[in-house]
Amino acid sequence: MSKPPELQHDLERSLPAIASISSSLSQSQGFSPYFLSPEKRKAISDVRRTFCLFVTFDLLFISLLWIIELNTKVGIKENLKDEIINYKFKTSFFDIFLLALFRFLVLLLGYAVLRLRHWWVIAVTTLVSSAFLIVKVILSELLTKGAFGYLLPIVSFVIAWLETWFLDFKVLTQEAEEERWFLAAQAAASRPLLYPRALSEGQFYSPPESFAGSDNESDEEGVGRKALTTQEKEYVRQGKEAMEVVDQILAQEENWKFEKNNDFGDVVYTFEIPFHGKTFILKAFLQCSPEMVYQEVILQPEKMILWNRTVAACQILQRVEDNTIVSYDVAAGAAGGVVSPRDFVNVRRIERRRDRYVSSGMSTTHSLKPPLSKYVRGENGPGGFIVLKCPSNAKVCTFIWILNTDLKGRLPRYLIHQSLAATMFEFAFHLRQRVAELCSKP
């Protein structure tokens, strides 16, 4: 069955925005080192290398303190002979140096040479160090030697526990998160492309140009369109409701309250919405065409994980009709891991207008994604992405992100607000990097 001429014309106009999806996927796979194949990634991560440097510092610092202690009136040679050859547990510092050497060799063997990704090695070194130092302080006569009798055991004890904290809360956590991004990117790359061939009736495509307040896109069953179920009509209604709220927020820009800005000129505002509460609004100016942002952010959300580190996963659960989809999204942790990853089920409505592209959405439910035990299920109020065209310059645009979310869980409100603003700035940073990379390609 052939399409009506008007629909065919609009569809053809929408194709340039999605025609480069196949090539953009291959380009984006080379964008970030986190998504390279394991054999092409760095042999050792930056955070693990920092940990190894800290372990080396541990040995060198304890050695320096021991040398200073040896360099007394009697001389280093006599003191070395006394502490090593005539070793006495109660009076010698030599065993504390050997303890630092033990930590150095075991930790570098485990985490630099073998590159283990478990905490058991450092658990052993910390347990041995703690037990030995406690016994040493209780039974020895080091405290009679003055300041160094206190300093060396305390420094050795503190550094051993700092190494444990750094590995457990920084190294292993960050590497696990990077591995999760890599696996998610692999999964996204292995999925079929959103538009693998010519579009046919019923497939989701960039919607025809629409006008604010128009209701005729989805209410009538067009030629070749299947009838919507009751649940699908509810998804369409939710999408339109979110779109109405987004339009109202945009119309009241003079009432937005300034919160923060950054060196790139990005600004975060807040706005109180009746029945929905505090809403965060990011406004950023981008040196690229609005169509590029429309494609990267709105048309292909599943591929966003390839360049956006604030998103851990995105999956299209259902394409309801031309303008409406239901998606499953997982937001990466924030605030240094204090805010754990959250997952959301959202309904999205997409509209193309003469002066802008709009993707509005809000939380919904779907049978394919009930709440999971490994994530806290968040809830999004009305919000979305807006890409404003510049009337005088087709190569620049203004990007707006409206975010109204309840992260659930027992988190202080001030911490939530700080993490949301930081997440929005990070999103803008990755988006700016992404469009800069695309613009640099011929």
Side-chain angles (χ1 to χ4, degrees), residues 257-274:
K257 179 184 176 182
F258 173 84
E259 291 288 337
K260 293 181 178 180
N261 61 358
N262 62 13
D263 296 337
F264 295 98
D266 307 330
V267 184
V268 170
Y269 302 90
T270 56
F271 184 69
E272 291 288 338
I273 305 177

Side-chain angles (χ1 to χ4, degrees), residues 36-91:
L36 295 175
S37 59
E39 62 272 11
K40 292 183 179 180
R41 285 187 286 177
K42 293 180 180 179
I44 187 169
S45 65
D46 292 338
V47 67
R48 186 177 289 249
R49 185 169 61 250
T50 303
F51 171 76
C52 294
L53 288 174
F54 186 70
V55 172
T56 306
F57 166 79
D58 174 14
L59 175 64
L60 295 178
F61 189 55
I62 296 297
S63 302
L64 178 64
L65 291 178
W66 185 45
I67 292 172
I68 294 174
E69 185 272 334
L70 292 173
N71 193 18
T72 59
K73 295 180 180 179
V74 181
I76 293 180
K77 291 184 177 180
E78 290 297 323
N79 284 326
L80 278 174
K81 181 180 179 181
D82 185 54
E83 292 204 5
I84 298 177
I85 299 176
N86 302 322
Y87 169 78
K88 294 180 181 179
F89 177 78
K90 292 185 177 182
T91 59

Side-chain angles (χ1 to χ4, degrees), residues 102-294:
F102 163 74
R103 289 197 300 269
F104 173 79
L105 294 176
V106 173
L107 292 178
L108 287 191
L109 175 64
Y111 297 113
V113 179
L114 301 179
R115 290 198 284 274
L116 299 177
R117 308 189 72 173
H118 199 276
W119 48 262
W120 69 266
V121 175
I122 201 166
V124 170
T125 60
T126 304
L127 178 62
V128 171
S129 298
S130 301
F132 180 85
L133 290 170
I134 291 173
V135 172
K136 179 87 172 175
V137 170
I138 293 174
L139 300 180
S140 70
E141 300 173 356
L142 293 179
L143 302 185
T144 61
K145 290 195 169 185
F148 280 98
Y150 296 90
L151 186 62
L152 270 172
I154 291 175
V155 169
S156 184
F157 185 87
V158 170
I159 290 181
W161 280 96
L162 283 176
E163 290 168 346
T164 303
W165 173 84
F166 190 83
L167 180 85
D168 196 27
F169 287 90
K170 295 295 182 180
V171 179
L172 299 182
T173 302
Q174 183 170 321
E175 288 185 345
E177 189 174 2
E178 291 173 1
E179 185 67 20
R180 187 165 58 248
W181 284 329
F182 172 69
L183 295 176
Q186 274 191 325
S190 64
R191 295 191 194 109
L193 294 178
L194 297 182
Y195 308 95
R197 54 187 180 279
L199 298 174
S200 60
E201 287 87 356
Q203 281 187 289
F204 180 80
Y205 59 92
S206 179
E209 191 169 59
S210 54
F211 300 91
S214 63
D215 294 325
N216 56 3
E217 300 100 335
S218 303
D219 291 344
E220 299 178 3
E221 295 175 13
V223 179
R225 294 182 184 177
K226 66 181 181 67
L228 300 180
T229 65
T230 302
Q231 181 60 64
E232 289 173 337
K233 289 180 180 178
E234 176 62 17
Y235 289 143
V236 173
R237 185 199 66 78
Q238 289 176 329
K240 289 183 177 180
E241 177 185 337
M243 186 66 70
E244 290 174 0
V245 175
V246 167
D247 286 335
Q248 292 171 9
I249 294 173
L250 294 174
Q252 301 184 59
E253 184 172 355
E254 67 277 4
N255 297 323
W256 296 356
K257 179 184 176 182
F258 173 84
E259 291 288 337
K260 293 181 178 180
N261 61 358
N262 62 13
D263 296 337
F264 295 98
D266 307 330
V267 184
V268 170
Y269 302 90
T270 56
F271 184 69
E272 291 288 338
I273 305 177
F275 309 110
H276 296 288
K278 194 169 189 177
T279 298
F280 287 78
I281 306 167
L282 169 72
K283 190 172 185 180
F285 181 77
L286 300 176
Q287 298 279 355
C288 66
S289 67
E291 288 73 24
M292 181 178 293
V293 182
Y294 173 54

Side-chain angles (χ1 to χ4, degrees), residues 415-434:
L415 180 61
I416 295 176
H417 291 171
Q418 286 182 350
S419 67
L420 290 179
T423 297
M424 298 182 94
F425 282 139
E426 186 179 0
F427 178 90
F429 173 79
H430 292 305
L431 177 59
R432 191 171 276 110
Q433 277 192 323
R434 175 61 173 162

Side-chain angles (χ1 to χ4, degrees), residues 300-339:
Q300 41 184 346
E302 289 175 297
K303 304 300 185 262
M304 197 182 295
I305 59 173
L306 295 170
W307 54 267
N308 180 14
R309 293 181 61 181
T310 66
V311 177
C314 180
Q315 177 186 359
I316 303 301
L317 299 179
Q318 183 178 353
R319 304 191 184 282
V320 180
E321 43 91 60
D322 291 341
N323 298 79
T324 308
I325 62 175
V326 180
S327 67
Y328 174 71
D329 308 280
V330 179
V338 177
V339 181

